[in-house]
């Protein structure tokens, strides 16, 4: 596919995402030169930031959400276990954890190669991102503060997702 067609397809996907956000009445910032959107929302507890990137090079739409804290050095090994517990069995998206810096980011990605991303798919991606982040961000922060453990997260996960 020519570079011009790839850029045109990325622009179409980017505009579809903006149209979806407009339909929901969301406030967001456009960064048209980078096909990037930034926005924020408040869940049950901790504010959530989303960075939505349409990448013409890879033909992917990625949603990233950095946690608003870094894991302190003395908690990083335990926190790695916590992220493994959180990610296990997750159907879409997952948490990326940089043990060297203590940064945690939720990431969900969809390819639009050979297709066009629909508003419905984008709505689904945003829903999954916000729901997953809202489920885990407070627990992650409690682990970082020493108020919760990976074992307790595993128990919470068993109860929360079993329908009990």
């Amino acid at each position: 596919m020519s570079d011009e067609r790839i850029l045109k397809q990325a622009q179409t996907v980017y505009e579809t995402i903006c149209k979806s956000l407009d339909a929901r009445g969301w406030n967001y910032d456009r960064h048209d030169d980078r096909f990037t959107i930034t926005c924020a929302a408040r869940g049950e507890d901790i504010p959530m930031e989303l960075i939505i990137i349409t990448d013409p090079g890879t033909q992917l739409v990625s949603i990233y959400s950095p946690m608003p804290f870094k894991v302190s050095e003395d908690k990083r090994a335990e926190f790695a276990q916590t992220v493994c517990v959180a990610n296990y069995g997750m159907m879409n998206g997952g948490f990326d954890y940089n043990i060297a810096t203590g940064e945690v980011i939720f990431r969900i990605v969809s390819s639009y190669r050979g297709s066009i991303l629909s508003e419905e798919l984008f709505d689904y991606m945003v829903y999954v991102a916000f729901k997953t982040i809202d489920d885990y961000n407070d627990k992650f922060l409690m682990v970082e503060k020493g108020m919760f453990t990976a074992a307790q997260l595993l128990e919470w996960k068993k109860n929360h997702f079993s329908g009990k």
Side-chain angles (χ1 to χ4, degrees):
M1 188 181 291
S2 73
D3 287 348
E4 187 176 316
R5 286 186 63 198
I6 288 172
L7 282 175
K8 185 176 181 192
Q9 185 178 24
Q11 183 68 43
T12 300
V13 170
Y14 179 72
E15 293 300 333
T16 300
I17 294 168
C18 291
K19 191 184 329 179
S20 173
L21 293 173
D22 290 341
R24 292 174 166 266
W26 282 26
N27 293 320
Y28 60 93
D29 294 317
R30 292 176 64 132
H31 309 277
D32 295 343
D33 57 324
R34 294 176 281 144
F35 297 118
T36 300
I37 297 163
T38 55
C39 59
R42 181 141 187 111
E44 291 182 13
D45 36 45
I46 300 173
M48 299 173 277
E49 174 190 6
L50 287 188
I51 303 162
I52 306 161
I53 301 170
T54 303
D55 184 348
T58 59
Q59 297 181 9
L60 296 174
V61 171
S62 303
I63 298 176
Y64 298 98
S65 182
M67 295 294 110
F69 60 87
K70 287 187 180 182
V71 179
S72 56
E73 285 189 46
D74 62 323
K75 301 280 188 207
R76 290 183 185 169
E78 179 183 4
F79 201 87
Q81 294 175 343
T82 303
V83 172
C84 287
V85 168
N87 281 338
Y88 183 77
M90 206 172 279
M91 299 296 283
N92 287 299
F95 292 96
D96 295 337
Y97 173 52
N98 185 329
I99 198 166
T101 65
E103 294 173 295
V104 184
I105 297 172
F106 179 80
R107 174 177 45 95
I108 187 169
V109 178
S110 185
S111 173
Y112 62 85
R113 184 178 304 272
S115 62
I116 298 295
L117 181 69
S118 70
E119 285 185 49
E120 291 80 10
L121 177 59
F122 178 70
D123 289 345
Y124 168 79
M125 289 175 69
V126 169
Y127 170 78
V128 167
F130 277 137
K131 176 73 172 119
T132 305
I133 296 160
D134 201 34
D135 281 347
Y136 288 96
N137 61 6
D138 59 325
K139 285 138 194 89
F140 283 170
L141 183 59
M142 288 192 307
V143 169
E144 203 291 316
K145 292 188 177 294
M147 300 165 50
F148 204 65
T149 65
Q152 287 172 305
L153 179 64
L154 181 59
E155 192 60 33
W156 170 83
K157 200 170 169 176
K158 286 178 188 175
N159 293 329
H160 184 74
F161 294 108
S162 69
K164 291 182 182 179

